[in-house]
């Protein structure tokens, strides 16, 4: 490749990266320059004029980074080597072990779920929603998710996977959907409408163009999905003019996961119908002749209020 071709290839990668990670193009250019050992893009271009070109390995590592859509924050401090190791780690992440506990990492309708024996962690697609940790009632005490180091590692794996999912979503959407213009107008990814104010059909929240773009078109107040977000509150008489902005409601601590104990053991609920069924099958079990079996099938069984 000629020098000019190398630079235009890096520019193309920067554009992809800007789109996927929802940052301005100049930030993406600087990010690539820093990754290649320069302090910013201008310095890289100057070096290129005096004959510097990235090595094929460097280009491959930038391509890998952009393909995986990871937020620049993860790489600002990391060396190229650390980044490569991290990619290898992520590649194997679908099924592996954390501190001796086996897990599976998978996608479910754009939520990321990491799960092992008796535990699971869900990181929702909605950026303002908290992760949920579920443990089964049976294994509750011994579950590895109660070890803070284990939990942190598992969460970080799931969060990295989620960064890729969100990067993919942003790339599929129009650029304006994740990067509002100078007037704060953003484009709805599904309706193809531009506005600086949006309304949530679910909670009547009035949301700015920046807020909704940042939250990937999920309502920052109630978590409603993009299909419930509109540029006019057509369900209000004044089309939403009197609705209050969501403001501080949107600010919640999303870093700490929520814990739930789930009793997933099969249970027999002792209601009248089930008791009658149990009694009848016991009678059938005991029946030794056809007439006793008929008797068991036809017997009238009544259950009183105390389930006797
Ligand atoms: Zn809402």
């Amino acid at each position: 490749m000629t020098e000019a071709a190398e630079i235009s290839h890096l520019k193309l990668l920067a554009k992809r990266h800007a789109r996927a990670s929802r940052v301005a193009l100049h930030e993406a250019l600087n990010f690539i320059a820093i990754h290649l050992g320069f302090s910013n893009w201008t310095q890289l271009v100057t070096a290129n004029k005096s004959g510097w070109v990235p090595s094929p390995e460097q280009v491959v590592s930038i391509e890998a980074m952009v393909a995986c859509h990871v937020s620049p924050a993860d790489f600002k401090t990391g060396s190229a080597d650390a980044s490569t190791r991290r990619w290898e780690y992520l590649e194997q992440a679908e099924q592996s072990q954390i501190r001796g506990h086996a897990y599976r990492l998978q996608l479910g309708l754009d939520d990321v779920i990491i799960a092992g024996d008796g535990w699971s962690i869900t990181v929702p697609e909605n950026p303002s929603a908290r992760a949920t940790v579920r443990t089964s009632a049976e294994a509750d005490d011994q579950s590895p998710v109660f070890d803070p180091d284990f939990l942190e590692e598992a969460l970080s794996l799931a969060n990295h996977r989620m960064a890729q999912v969100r990067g993919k979503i942003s790339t599929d959407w129009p650029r304006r959907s994740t990067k509002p213009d100078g007037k704060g107008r953003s484009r709805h990814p599904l309706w193809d409408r531009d506005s600086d104010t949006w309304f949530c059909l679910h909670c009547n929240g009035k949301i700015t163009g920046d807020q909704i773009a940042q939250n990937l078109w999920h309502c920052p107040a109630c978590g409603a999905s993009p299909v419930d977000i509109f540029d006019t509150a057509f369900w209000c008489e004044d089309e939403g003019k009197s609705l209050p902005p969501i403001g501080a409601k949107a600010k919640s601590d999303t870093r700490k996961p929520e814990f739930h104990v789930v009793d997933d053991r099969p249970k027999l609920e002792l209601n009248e119908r089930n008791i009658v069924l149990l009694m009848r099958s016991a009678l059938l079990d005991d029946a030794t002749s056809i007439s006793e079996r008929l008797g068991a099938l036809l017997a009238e069984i009544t259950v009183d209020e105390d389930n006797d």
Side-chain angles (χ1 to χ4, degrees):
M1 259 193 259
T2 64
E3 283 166 29
E6 287 287 0
I7 295 298
S8 62
H9 184 54
L10 289 183
K11 274 188 185 161
L12 176 76
L13 292 174
K15 267 185 207 160
R16 278 190 206 146
H17 181 71
R19 186 151 182 190
S21 50
R22 306 172 287 286
V23 298
L25 181 60
H26 71 92
E27 287 177 66
L29 288 168
N30 284 340
F31 161 63
I32 284 180
I34 290 165
H35 189 78
L36 293 174
F38 297 94
S39 52
N40 54 46
W41 180 254
T42 317
Q43 210 188 69
L44 182 150
V45 173
T46 311
N48 177 248
K49 280 180 188 147
S50 1
W52 174 87
V53 284
S55 70
E57 293 77 29
Q58 283 176 317
V59 174
V60 166
S61 96
I62 301 271
E63 280 170 346
M65 236 162 34
V66 172
C68 289
H69 310 305
V70 162
S71 121
D74 295 323
F75 285 92
K76 266 183 189 148
T77 51
S79 67
D81 255 357
S83 308
T84 314
R85 277 201 301 279
R86 181 158 234 165
W87 291 127
E88 283 167 2
Y89 188 46
L90 279 176
E91 295 272 87
Q92 303 159 355
E94 302 300 316
Q95 201 159 1
S96 183
Q97 288 200 348
I98 303 172
R99 292 169 184 262
H101 298 279
Y103 70 82
R104 258 187 93 87
L105 184 88
Q106 59 207 103
L107 282 182
L109 292 172
D110 282 341
D111 290 342
V112 171
I113 302 154
I114 179 166
D117 191 15
W119 60 271
S120 74
I121 303 170
T122 307
V123 174
E125 180 202 334
N126 170 11
S128 61
R130 291 167 74 183
T132 313
V133 179
R134 290 183 181 84
T135 50
S136 83
E138 258 180 344
D140 196 19
D141 292 348
Q142 307 94 41
S143 180
V145 288
F146 293 110
D147 169 3
D149 293 333
F150 176 91
L151 182 63
E152 200 187 307
E153 246 179 82
L155 265 175
S156 125
L157 267 180
N159 282 327
H160 273 98
R161 192 73 176 82
M162 184 43 86
Q164 294 176 15
V165 172
R166 291 185 186 136
K168 173 81 175 60
I169 293 171
S170 310
T171 305
D172 291 345
W173 283 351
R175 173 75 164 146
R176 187 62 62 232
S177 296
T178 54
K179 200 84 196 136
D181 66 14
K183 292 176 188 142
R185 293 166 64 86
S186 49
R187 177 165 305 160
H188 196 293
L190 310 173
W191 321 141
D192 200 21
R193 311 262 302 196
D194 288 7
S195 176
D196 59 0
T197 312
W198 297 89
F199 299 92
C200 172
L201 179 66
H202 240 262
C203 71
N204 282 335
K206 192 192 239 173
I207 310 157
T208 69
D210 284 312
Q211 279 176 323
I212 200 74
Q214 247 174 41
N215 211 37
L216 288 184
W217 292 85
H218 287 77
C219 171
C222 77
S225 70
V227 293
D228 285 335
I229 308 295
F230 297 90
D231 60 343
T232 53
F234 56 83
W235 56 93
C236 297
E237 271 181 18
D238 66 351
E239 299 201 317
K241 286 185 186 74
S242 59
L243 292 177
I246 54 161
K249 242 200 297 183
K251 289 190 191 100
S252 65
D253 187 4
T254 58
R255 283 162 302 162
K256 287 209 178 81
E258 250 176 293
F259 279 81
H260 294 286
V261 176
V262 187
D263 193 350
D264 53 1
R265 289 167 296 190
K267 277 184 288 287
L268 174 65
E269 197 191 335
L270 279 184
N271 54 27
E272 185 181 338
R273 187 174 160 272
N274 287 343
I275 291 170
V276 170
L277 263 173
L278 275 175
M279 291 297 296
R280 206 177 292 289
S281 48
L283 287 172
L284 273 169
D285 243 9
D286 290 345
T288 52
S289 65
I290 289 181
S291 58
E292 276 182 10
R293 255 175 245 143
L294 268 175
L297 285 171
L298 299 173
E300 208 171 282
I301 303 169
T302 50
V303 180
D304 72 14
E305 280 171 6
D306 299 324
N307 279 346
D308 287 333

